[in-house]
Amino acid sequence: MKHLLLLIILDCASLLVARASADWHVVRSHPQKHFLNTIPPGNYSGIANMGGDVYAMVSDKSDSALYFNVRLYISRQTGELLQAEYMGSKGRVDAAGLDNEAIAKVSDSTIVVASEQCFRLKEYLIDENGREAMGEADGNEKTAEAEGKRNVADGKAQPKLWEWSMPEKEFWPNYGFESLAYDSIGRKLWTINESTMRRDGKAATPQDPHKNVLRLMSFNRDDLTAAPVAYLYRMDMPTTMKAAQTYAMGVSELCALPDGQLLVLEREAFVPKTKLGAFCQCKLYVVNPSAEKPYPLEKSVEADAPYVSKRLLTSWRTSITLFSQNWANYEGMCLGPRLENGDQVVVLVSDSQDGYAGLLRDWFKTIVISN
C-alpha cells in the first residue's frame, strides 16, 4: 500500500513539473472590438494593469496627461472583453513632444513610462487614489518635492525614483523605445528598441528587406545602479516589397509572463498613398531570456553573436480594403486577469492616430493563453 501511494505521489509530481515546464499556447483569440461610445479617440500606445479591472494607457501625442485610466470588463469564464469604460486622465506632463509609448507598474507606488522622443525610461509616483504625483524633469520638480514633503509628513518613506536613457545618436528617427514589461516575481523591468540601432545597421524597409537586429534589455529593480543586461533579438523579414507612404517594421511591445518568459510583439505596418491595401501584420512570439546568453549592449554585433530563440505563439493581420476597415496598429500589451480555470488573458490596444479621418478605431483585443 505504501509502495502504491509513493508511485501515485511521484506520478503527480511528474505531472506538475511537466505542466510547469510546458510551452505556452493559445486557447482562444477573441475578435478585436472598439468602444466608440465609451472610449474617446486617442493615440494609445501602451497599457498596464493597475489592479483589478483598472488599466492605465499612455498616449504618444499627449502633452498634458501622463496617462489615462480605463476599466475593462473581461469575462472570467472566456476572457472576452465585454465592455470598456473611460475613467479620465491621470497626472500632468508640462513638456511637449515626449512621445510616451509604453507604461509598466513596477510597485504599489510607482510606474515607469518610456519616452521615445527622449530615449529614456522614467519612474513616476502614484498615490493611493491612482493620481500621478508628478516628478517630470521638465517642469514638475516642485510638485514632486511637495509630494515628497507630504509623504514625509504622513510618515511615509519617499521612494527613490529611477531614470535611464541613451543618446539620441544611437537611434534612427522614430525608432527608439516603444516597449515596457515588468516581471514582478523576478523583479526585472524589460524594454527593447523598436528597430535596429545605428551601430547595428539600417532599419528594414520594403526596398531594403532584411532582419532587424534589436537589443532586448532587462533592469534589476533590486539594484537600480546596475547596467542593463542585454540580449540580441532578430526579427522576421518584411512581408512586402511595395512602395509605402508610411511604413513601420519593429517590435511595438513586450509582456512579461508569470514564469519569467516574455511575449514579443513584432509589428509590420504598411500604408500606401491611396490607403486602400494598407495592412498591419502582427506576430506574437515567446522568448525565454533565462535560457539565453547575454550580449554586451555597448558591443557591435559580430558574425557569431548569439541571438535569443523565439517561438511563434500566434499571428493576425488587419487591413483597409473596399470591404473591410479593421486596420489596427497594436502598440500596447499587458497581462489581464486569470480565468476561473487558470488560463491567462493577454490584453492588447491599438493606436488609432486619434481616430484618423474618422476611419481608424481604438481597437482592443484579448488572447487567452495557457501552459
Side-chain angles (χ1 to χ4, degrees):
M1 185 66 177
K2 290 182 179 180
H3 181 68
L4 180 59
L5 288 174
L6 180 61
L7 288 176
I8 293 174
I9 292 172
L10 290 174
D11 287 342
C12 290
S14 298
L15 287 173
L16 288 173
V17 171
R19 178 170 175 76
S21 62
D23 290 334
W24 289 92
H25 62 276
V26 173
V27 177
R28 67 183 68 88
S29 180
H30 291 284
Q32 61 187 26
K33 293 184 177 182
H34 61 78
F35 303 91
L36 287 177
N37 296 327
T38 55
I39 301 293
N43 300 270
Y44 306 124
S45 304
I47 188 169
N49 184 268
M50 300 297 281
D53 295 330
V54 178
Y55 295 77
M57 301 193 302
V58 291
S59 165
D60 60 13
K61 299 293 192 299
S62 176
D63 293 334
S64 57
L66 182 63
Y67 63 92
F68 307 85
N69 273 354
V70 295
R71 190 179 300 277
L72 302 182
Y73 298 91
I74 298 173
S75 168
R76 295 307 196 268
Q77 289 75 43
T78 66
E80 180 184 3
L81 176 57
L82 305 175
Q83 187 56 262
E85 170 189 337
Y86 182 71
M87 300 174 66
S89 62
K90 298 293 181 181
R92 192 168 67 245
V93 176
D94 292 340
L98 292 176
D99 191 7
N100 288 332
E101 293 279 0
I103 181 172
K105 185 179 181 183
V106 296
S107 74
D108 291 338
S109 60
T110 59
I111 56 172
V112 173
V113 174
S115 167
E116 188 168 41
Q117 183 62 32
C118 296
F119 308 94
R120 79 173 181 206
L121 313 180
K122 182 174 175 63
E123 190 171 12
Y124 297 84
L125 286 172
I126 309 170
D127 69 16
E128 293 91 340
N129 297 315
R131 295 191 302 272
E132 192 271 324
M134 310 308 170
E136 172 56 52
D138 298 302
N140 285 331
E141 296 95 335
K142 292 182 179 179
T143 311
E145 182 181 355
E147 179 66 19
K149 290 179 179 178
R150 183 182 70 81
N151 283 344
V152 171
D154 292 342
K156 300 176 181 178
Q158 170 76 354
K160 181 176 175 59
L161 299 182
W162 171 82
E163 182 177 337
W164 181 86
S165 64
M166 290 186 68
E168 179 179 356
K169 64 182 181 181
E170 295 277 4
F171 303 90
W172 296 104
N174 203 35
Y175 273 144
F177 298 116
E178 192 151 332
S179 305
L180 280 179
Y182 183 57
D183 172 9
S184 60
I185 298 176
R187 293 185 54 76
K188 293 179 180 179
L189 179 70
W190 291 90
T191 191
I192 190 171
N193 47 304
E194 184 180 0
S195 187
T196 305
M197 288 183 178
R198 290 181 183 271
R199 72 175 75 168
D200 297 326
K202 294 184 177 181
T205 67
Q207 287 69 47
D208 182 16
H210 59 270
K211 296 182 177 181
N212 283 328
V213 175
L214 313 183
R215 305 297 184 113
L216 178 65
M217 293 170 270
S218 71
F219 300 84
N220 183 354
R221 291 291 298 173
D222 291 322
D223 185 3
L224 296 177
T225 62
V229 177
Y231 304 82
L232 292 180
Y233 181 93
R234 183 155 47 194
M235 292 187 63
D236 290 352
M237 292 279 287
T239 64
T240 182
M241 297 182 66
K242 297 180 180 178
Q245 181 182 50
T246 302
Y247 184 81
M249 178 80 174
V251 168
S252 62
E253 190 60 292
L254 300 172
C255 180
L257 293 170
D259 60 359
Q261 297 189 76
L262 294 174
L263 295 180
V264 182
L265 181 59
E266 294 191 17
R267 177 276 323 271
E268 181 184 17
F270 169 84
V271 182
K273 188 174 182 179
T274 62
K275 303 302 187 288
L276 287 177
F279 70 83
C280 189
Q281 177 71 48
C282 292
K283 298 178 181 179
L284 196 57
Y285 284 95
V286 181
V287 301
N288 185 8
S290 65
E292 303 295 344
K293 183 179 180 181
Y295 193 83
L297 178 59
E298 67 279 1
K299 187 177 181 180
S300 297
V301 178
E302 299 176 346
D304 59 347
Y307 293 89
V308 301
S309 300
K310 62 182 187 179
R311 179 176 61 83
L312 184 64
L313 186 69
T314 186
S315 64
W316 66 97
R317 185 183 181 104
T318 60
S319 60
I320 297 177
T321 68
L322 288 173
F323 308 103
S324 173
Q325 291 82 42
N326 67 352
W327 193 89
N329 175 24
Y330 285 97
E331 294 193 342
M333 176 173 59
C334 71
L335 292 183
R338 283 276 191 179
L339 300 186
E340 291 178 351
N341 66 354
D343 291 345
Q344 177 67 61
V345 177
V346 177
V347 178
L348 299 108
V349 64
S350 68
D351 181 353
S352 73
Q353 300 294 318
D354 206 25
Y356 177 79
L359 179 65
L360 301 187
R361 300 285 182 258
D362 299 287
W363 294 102
F364 291 81
K365 183 177 178 65
T366 55
I367 300 172
V368 180
I369 62 176
S370 179
N371 68 340

